[in-house]
Amino acid sequence: MTDKRLTFNRVLTSPGKHPYEAGPEGAIRWDTYDVEIMGFTTRKATGIEFPTHFSDRARPIVWNQYMKETADGRETSLRQVFDRVAETIASWGHADGYFADTESAVIFENELKAIFVGQYAAFNSPVWYNVGLFEKPQCSACFIQSVEDSMEDIMDLAKSEVLLFKGGSGTGSNLSTLRASGERLSHGGEASGPVSFMKGLDAFAGVIQSGGRTRRAAKMVI
């Protein structure tokens, strides 16, 4: 039987050099910065650590959106954020037998950290919001949902959408199954129609926002 476990080679990292300190284009420098987010209330923090190549615009956004409250306190360095995500994913791979050997697991983790710090790629927001913080984190950015033509199912849809918004994800829902405005209800009266329910569901997207942050939750309706 062919061994399908994964092996990795180093591309961005070197043995014996930490991925946060030595990139393929030379040494990565770090410094501490004061950050500030303006809104209904102004939020500030001092001494937040970032690589020096991160922009003035990126630093406060990353601090406000992705540095989380953990068991050890609020994250104050981008190293902690990258460690939380990369080490958690690598630990999943190791526990589930994805890697061919320990060296491949180490290389995978180091390369993933180098990808993050070098800004070669980044996961979607729910990954940064949830991975390393919850036993079964919500990692997908988008969910597609259906709904049946009953009040119970419509309210179940509202609940699931709110919980997905809370975790930083967006949803798409097909309301074509709902009776149109003016159609008869089984117990008498007339249906209010899908548009009326859309207004309520849309309001939740604005109230809950994306992961409770400053951006309205993403919502699509058919």
Side-chain angles (χ1 to χ4, degrees):
M1 182 180 294
T2 303
D3 188 348
K4 296 184 178 180
R5 292 180 298 173
L6 301 174
T7 59
F8 290 90
N9 297 316
R10 293 186 184 274
V11 177
L12 300 173
T13 63
S14 301
K17 293 184 179 180
H18 197 285
Y20 295 158
E21 304 299 340
E25 299 178 0
I28 296 173
R29 293 182 295 120
W30 293 73
D31 204 348
T32 56
Y33 299 86
D34 296 342
V35 292
E36 179 176 290
I37 289 289
M38 304 290 289
F40 291 111
T41 59
T42 300
R43 301 182 65 237
K44 301 179 181 179
T46 59
I48 307 300
E49 187 181 36
F50 286 94
T52 56
H53 64 268
F54 271 61
S55 69
D56 292 342
R57 181 179 179 83
R59 288 192 294 266
I61 293 173
V62 170
W63 166 74
N64 185 56
Q65 296 280 347
Y66 304 127
M67 291 188 177
K68 305 293 291 184
E69 191 71 38
T70 71
D72 298 322
R74 174 74 183 264
E75 292 167 333
T76 58
S77 170
L78 200 52
R79 300 175 199 254
Q80 296 169 315
V81 181
F82 292 158
D83 283 347
R84 170 168 57 83
V85 173
E87 292 173 8
T88 299
I89 294 174
S91 71
W92 291 339
H94 180 75
D96 292 340
Y98 276 83
F99 302 116
D101 48 48
T102 301
E103 179 64 16
S104 289
V106 171
I107 292 174
F108 172 84
E109 181 182 309
N110 287 350
E111 288 288 303
L112 190 55
K113 291 178 178 180
I115 288 171
F116 294 160
V117 75
Q119 295 182 297
Y120 295 101
F123 286 116
N124 58 49
S125 290
V127 170
W128 304 109
Y129 288 160
N130 303 313
V131 169
L133 299 172
F134 305 104
E135 183 179 356
K136 296 182 178 180
Q138 180 177 311
C139 298
S140 296
C142 304
F143 290 80
I144 299 174
Q145 302 192 93
S146 61
V147 60
E148 297 301 322
D149 188 24
S150 71
M151 187 60 69
E152 291 81 6
D153 216 48
I154 293 170
M155 292 301 100
D156 285 343
L157 172 65
K159 178 181 178 180
S160 65
E161 287 200 339
V162 164
L163 293 177
L164 290 172
F165 295 155
K166 178 183 176 183
S169 302
T171 74
S173 305
N174 188 343
L175 303 186
S176 301
T177 56
L178 303 187
R179 274 167 286 192
S181 175
E183 290 192 60
R184 298 296 296 173
L185 297 173
S186 57
H187 297 293
E190 297 181 348
S192 56
V195 173
S196 63
F197 290 109
M198 286 166 59
K199 293 177 181 177
L201 296 170
D202 181 71
F204 283 134
V207 171
I208 304 302
Q209 300 183 321
S210 182
R213 301 308 195 280
T214 56
R215 178 169 62 84
R216 169 190 169 81
K219 176 171 172 55
M220 186 188 77
V221 174
I222 297 174

